[in-house]
Amino acid sequence: ISDEILKRVVESYRRIRNTLRFLLANIADFDIRQQAMPVAQWLEIDRYALALVTRLQTEVQHDYSRYEFHAVVQKLQAFCSEDLGGFYLDILKDRLYTTAPNSSGRRSAQNALYHITQALTRLMAPILSFTGEEVWALLGQQQSSVFESVWYELPKLPAADTRLTQDWEVICAWRARVNKRLEDSRSAGNIGSSLAAEINIHAAGSDYDVLARLGDDLRFVMITSRAGVKRANSEADQHIEVLVSANAKCERCWHYREDVGSDAAHPQLCGRCASNLFGSGEARTHA
């Protein structure tokens, strides 16, 4: 053992704990008894998150059955830092923070977060017992201890979601490429936040189809103020354009949009923020 080893362990634990804090904070006003939604009505990225935690639970249960606790630690850490922190929760922040409190988009996210938290608490309990008990107490469960419960029964994905995982793996791969191009643009001093950028993705074949069907929700996945997709002639022609947005910045959601100031009563807001606060709210289908 050494200071360096302990530092690495502390960092791994902090990542898991911070993930739990985010999950708990964002389901604090959620009651599964009154606000449960059928999985088929969840947004697509929320159903993908359910697929990810279902896969994690299956793998971790298998590791526990073989007493391979090191594999459990590695999988929990990777899930919290990559699948959740580096992808799902990063994308989810906009919907959680900018849509109306009782909107279907926000409730869809909270349904997914609730089930993720329930599963994650039980999966970590054998190796992070004190943290597991802390979370359990905050969840207000009927049993007094997480160790009085059994593995969580996650809801099932709709039968229609046969290509859900494959499609989102394609989207994730393109998001990684976009992030690389955005980082290059940031390093060159062209942009600060990724929201200061607009992108055009030139994709070929089935990749184009997968990205194009996201519509305007593609920009939320890429965390840019605008994201368009165009069909490339071949894989060799695939590329990503990064442009600096010339639009004004919305003071509420920080997106750079053409319609900032379109509502004279709220000149510092973009159209969707004005709608989310004072109108019928925005419609989300995928992210």
Side-chain angles (χ1 to χ4, degrees):
I1 194 166
S2 67
D3 286 343
E4 187 58 37
I5 289 173
L6 290 175
K7 286 177 184 176
R8 285 202 297 269
V9 172
V10 167
E11 185 55 39
S12 298
Y13 173 66
R14 184 180 291 116
R15 191 169 291 126
I16 293 172
R17 189 176 180 87
N18 286 343
T19 300
L20 291 167
R21 290 178 67 180
F22 182 93
L23 295 172
L24 289 168
N26 283 286
I27 59 172
D29 65 335
F30 177 75
D31 187 343
I32 190 66
R33 293 164 297 184
Q34 298 179 20
Q35 292 151 346
M37 291 173 62
V39 177
Q41 294 178 15
W42 295 10
L43 269 65
E44 193 172 285
I45 194 173
D46 299 329
R47 301 202 303 274
Y48 176 58
L50 175 61
L52 291 178
V53 75
T54 301
R55 182 173 65 190
L56 172 77
Q57 181 163 275
T58 301
E59 293 176 355
V60 166
Q61 287 175 337
H62 186 56
D63 291 333
Y64 275 133
S65 70
R66 295 179 300 174
Y67 300 95
E68 294 185 356
F69 303 115
H70 66 285
V72 174
V73 173
Q74 290 168 358
K75 287 184 173 71
L76 287 175
Q77 181 184 341
F79 182 74
C80 288
S81 62
E82 297 170 19
D83 293 334
L84 290 184
F87 176 71
Y88 180 56
L89 301 184
D90 198 27
I91 295 169
L92 206 57
K93 288 173 185 174
D94 181 88
R95 183 157 33 113
L96 287 169
Y97 300 162
T98 67
T99 57
N102 293 312
S103 65
S104 60
R106 186 167 182 271
R107 292 306 185 198
S108 170
Q110 288 183 308
N111 271 264
L113 294 181
Y114 173 85
H115 292 297
I116 290 171
T117 307
Q118 290 284 346
L120 206 54
T121 305
R122 291 164 170 82
L123 292 175
M124 74 167 60
I127 56 171
L128 290 172
S129 55
F130 293 102
T131 304
E133 292 284 34
E134 268 189 279
V135 176
W136 193 256
L138 291 168
L139 287 174
Q141 300 295 101
Q142 289 184 343
Q143 300 97 332
S144 61
S145 170
V146 65
F147 294 105
E148 295 177 4
S149 67
V150 295
W151 299 124
Y152 188 62
E153 185 175 347
L154 288 159
K156 304 297 182 187
L157 285 168
D161 279 340
T162 53
R163 286 197 51 83
L164 180 73
T165 302
Q166 299 95 310
D167 285 355
W168 277 91
E169 285 175 353
V170 170
I171 295 166
C172 288
W174 275 101
R175 186 171 186 269
R177 294 178 206 171
V178 167
N179 285 343
K180 175 66 171 61
R181 291 284 289 111
L182 291 172
E183 187 56 40
D184 291 342
S185 186
R186 188 180 292 110
S187 298
N190 297 326
I191 61 170
S193 161
S194 65
L195 288 174
E198 300 180 1
I199 61 168
N200 291 313
I201 300 174
H202 296 257
S206 60
D207 282 17
Y208 169 84
D209 299 327
V210 170
L211 294 172
R213 69 179 180 78
L214 296 184
D216 191 50
D217 282 6
L218 181 62
R219 68 184 172 107
F220 299 115
V221 175
M222 301 303 172
I223 314 184
T224 54
S225 286
R226 186 190 62 78
V229 57
K230 301 179 180 181
R231 189 180 291 279
N233 294 325
S234 65
E235 286 191 12
D237 295 324
Q238 293 184 149
H239 65 282
I240 299 162
E241 295 176 274
V242 176
L243 309 170
V244 180
S245 179
N247 297 316
K249 179 181 179 181
C250 173
E251 289 198 354
R252 182 170 181 268
C253 69
W254 295 4
H255 284 241
Y256 292 73
R257 303 293 292 172
E258 258 186 318
D259 59 359
V260 171
S262 57
D263 185 339
H266 309 284
Q268 297 169 327
L269 300 183
C270 66
R272 76 182 181 105
C273 279
S275 177
N276 286 333
L277 286 171
F278 311 108
S280 58
E282 66 180 311
R284 297 277 193 99
T285 54
H286 296 88

